[in-house]
Amino acid sequence: MALFAVFQTSFLLALLSLRAYQSEVLVEPLPLTPESLNVSIDSAHQYLNLQWSVHSLAYYQELKMLFQIQISRMKTSNVIWVGNYSTVVKRDPVLHWSWKSELPLECATHFVRMRSRVDDAKIPEPRFWSNWSSWKEADAQKSLGRDPLFLFPKDKLVEEGSNVTICYMSRNQQDNISCYLEGQQIHGEQLDSNVSAFKLNKVSFIRKTGTNIFCKVDQKDVIKGIVLFVSKVLEEPKDFSCETQDFKTLTCTWDPGTDTSLPKRSSQSYTLFESFSGKKILCEHKNSCNWQVDSDSQEMYNFTLVAENALGNRSVSVLFSLTHRVHPKTPYNLFLKNVSGTKATVTWKVHPIGNYSTLLCQLDLLGEGNVIQQHNVSIKENGEYLLSELEPDTEYMARVRCADANHFWKWSGSISQKFITAEAAPSEALDVWRNVKSVSGRPTVTLFWKPLSKLHANGKILSYNVTVENLDRLSGLEVHSVPATANGTELTLDQDSYQIHVTALNSAGPSPASVIVVSGDPGNEEVEEERVNGTEDGFSVSWKPQSGKAIGYVVEWCDHPQDLPCDLQWKNLSSNTTSTVISSGAFRPGVRYNFRIYEISTERMAYLLEKKAGYLKELAPSDNPQVVVSNLTSHSFTLSWKDYSTDSQPGFIQGYYVYLRSKAEKECHPGFKKATLPDKSACCQHRIDNPEQKTFVMENLQPESVYEFLVTPYTSAGSGPLDAFTKVTTPDEYSHILIRIILPMIVCVLLIMITCYLKSQWMKEKCYPDIPDPYKSNVLSLIKSKENPHLTIMNVSDCVPDAIEVIHKPEGSKIQFLGASKSLTETEFTKPAYLYLLPAEKNYSGPGPCICFENLTYNEAAADSGSCGHFPVTPEALPGQPGPLTSPENLLKALEKNYMNSLGETAAGEASLNYVSQLASQMSGDKDSLPANPPEPVLCSEYKMQMAIPLGLASPPPAENSGLSSTTPLDQSEHYR
């Protein structure tokens, strides 16, 4: 026992001594200076890699220490970075640390040193830094060649939006170097005489092949370039989720975002890690990954998805229960059966999920792309549902999708099937209207109807039936079939009243009938037209009911009133409606629309109630009227434009502006006011407020002056165009008086000329006939009354010729004249023989002998009967007579010409005599002595009996020296006194 107590005491003393020693050791500072510092360069990644060790850890297995590191550039005093590195140091360790440089390491020499201090809680305070280690140099330029120019970094990969520093190093300090980024010159900072650096902030992605940067030595063929690869920013995966369709495989999906891959660079990769099981797989796809569910039926899963590339990584996590992430497969075998006009049965199948899983399926019925019915059905394998309240002859689509009924996560894919229901008879009557007009005294009814909508047609319309029934007389029904493509038909009726039924037919039957009654009496069509204003919404039309028996109203208009046909439209309204808004996509500003409101009576007859007209928006007139100038005087003229139609204008014509201007007048006439035209010229303006007034009188004008006028209509939107003026010149003040005198004179002259032309034959007979009729001549009565009241008209039977002219004789015959001693043969008779008047007695004291001459009028008339032509000859001498009227040569020449002309008109073997009228002459003496002033011949006052002497009784020819043809003297009693 004592021994035990001694041993225990000795052990306690030794233990106390050890603890005291340890306390003394720990209180002393430990000299833990870093040793064996080594610095290496990683040019590819621009890293300075440090390696060192710490000794004097004899008493500790490990110790937490803090190392402070300094990095200098170019020289040791130029410290560019100071930082701390904390780690747990074990006995005889070798420590590593790296520093990334923004500036390429090849462009400058770097220096590194460090010191340390214990940072462990086992060492009490105070704690002290160790001494600095010696500077270690890192110089990458030593490994470069002797090229004159270097550019760094080479093929560097950076992320879009980061900052990058590039630099160049030149061997020659005198070189002038320029650097360019994608063709644009850049400027940097000179680090020393041979090195310059350029800092690029927030670099952008230009192309996958990289951004081009180069530097060149001016005036030298030295160029160096690098490619800076800029990748898109690696994004965190979005919409990361996992689900199962069969409890055997979990499918995780996500949105990878922007692809960061570059040519010759590895793309981002995705790793799926499950923390509960500790398993990790590398995903084969960029947006999905399959995870096999273990047979131990793990219920909870915690997945972490890591996206990583050469520049960094992004991660996202999700925690879920397997039974809450069930996504069923798409249903299959969807069919429609027992399809009728209003019902159909839908059947489908689903893939089972486990033994006890129940699926909730959603059945959608779609029409024209819209869901019109939706039903939920709970099933395990097969589904069936009856659809009702369908429309006939309508195309539908049935669509089915399913989800887990216990824990809804997501709908499965959808399966759909189209089907068409059967046809049924049209369910609604046609909307029918009519237009009644009279053609050749008989009413012609044009029926219009609007096609049934697909909802009410219940099938394809095959035709329309129009049944006409006479209400005034018992007669058979007239049925007209109209093709389905038509929207109306025309009927020719009489003055009776008719009831017309219109139905639409499809394969299932006819529609309800539309009934309209038409009467031969059109009713009151003389209804005053009212105006209605249009708005952006259309025309607001209202009316006043005339009777309390109306069953409805119809408003009628044309969408295109300027076209033929005008596209008639109508709107049916109930009996308790007295206003409506008429709107149409065809309405246009500046077009006049006419509305007619009809009242439908209980007999279904339409009576015109009101007329209205309006414009959606009034516009200014686009043209001016054609003006006619009339009643032009020296002080006024009248303008008229009666052919100008106001209904076809782009607005209601409210009146007219009459413009007048003249260079001679500066002041405006009464009723006019000064106005300025667009060309800044001045004129006078008169306003006409009555649109029905289409005449205007310009008064108070100056004679012989030039005026210009223009007439423009105006509406509420403005006036017509101010185009070219028309010039009018007023006449002088007295011109109208001269016109009143000259015009009647011209008319009278024209009438006389027309009368003379129409009575030309009568005038000729009265004034200058070809053969004057003495009995019809008034000349003799004038002469008789003034000179000789005993003058009478000579009868042919009372005439005895004084001389005989032989026109023609038979061949070989001889001609003898009275008192002639020689006969002439035809060869000798080359000229016609003439008889001259000779006095019967020598001592005859009466008037001179009558002289032979031809009367022009008788000769022209007797040309056809063989008489000689007229010769206006004045004989100068007669044989044996003093003072001849004419020379024989001249007389013979004239007579010879007539003789030769008559010779061709006389038949061979015939002889004719030409009777020559007589003239008296107061002449005496022989033929050789001619008086100086021979007396003018006078008409014989009396003719005796004249006779022709046959050729056989002719006397012998005269003597040779006679020079004249034979003449036969007349007895004194044969001469007139």
Side-chain angles (χ1 to χ4, degrees), residues 67 132 153 211 307 309 342 396 400 532 552 603 613 627 635 947:
F67 298 91
W132 288 100
T211 302
N309 65 6
T342 57
Y396 292 99
V400 178
V532 61
E603 295 82 11
V627 182
H635 295 286
M947 58 181 295

Side-chain angles (χ1 to χ4, degrees), residues 42 69 153 156 215 245 278 327 350 354 518 531 545 749 756 836 861 951:
D42 182 3
I69 304 170
K156 184 177 181 64
C215 295
Q245 291 184 324
H327 184 200
V350 296
V518 177
R531 293 184 180 181
V749 171
C756 291
Y836 292 87
L951 294 175

